[in-house]
Amino acid sequence: IEGRLSWHFIPQSFKVFLDCDIDEAARRVYGTQHNPDEVRHDEHYANHEDAKTALEERMASDDRRYLKYYGVNYRNPAQYDLVLDTTTFPGPDVTAAKIFEKIEKKA
């Protein structure tokens, strides 16, 4: 199950946190607007900085909301079984491989 609070509501699960440098995240999000093979919600940004600002605002809003309603900081790495910085990963296949590798070691 994927979700920012899944770790909190399913405590016995294997919990993974995917991190990424904000500039790289903005590049990825902004870049998908120009690639017809990658559809990403209805988000449209004028440029990289616009995407970065929107991501920062969303994270700050999520931080406030999750703390207010659930009393948790979802970005605290101590709550996860695996924390991956995907900033330099070439694609989702590498991320998935690293997750499966860790799950297999844990089993």
Side-chain angles (χ1 to χ4, degrees), residues 1-18:
I1 298 174
E2 186 279 327
R4 287 190 182 94
L5 291 179
S6 298
W7 62 269
H8 180 67
F9 293 110
I10 310 171
Q12 69 280 13
S13 63
F14 183 81
K15 298 166 274 306
V16 179
F17 183 81
L18 302 178

Side-chain angles (χ1 to χ4, degrees), residues 48-88:
H48 174 270
E49 285 302 314
D50 187 31
K52 181 178 174 181
T53 299
L55 289 172
E56 290 171 331
E57 288 172 356
R58 179 178 178 179
M59 287 190 312
S61 173
D62 287 349
D63 287 345
R64 289 188 303 272
R65 187 171 60 255
Y66 299 155
L67 187 60
K68 177 180 177 180
Y69 292 112
Y70 306 106
V72 299
N73 174 0
Y74 80 98
R75 291 194 286 164
N76 178 353
Q79 301 167 138
Y80 297 89
D81 299 302
L82 176 62
V83 176
L84 291 175
D85 182 347
T86 66
T87 302
T88 61

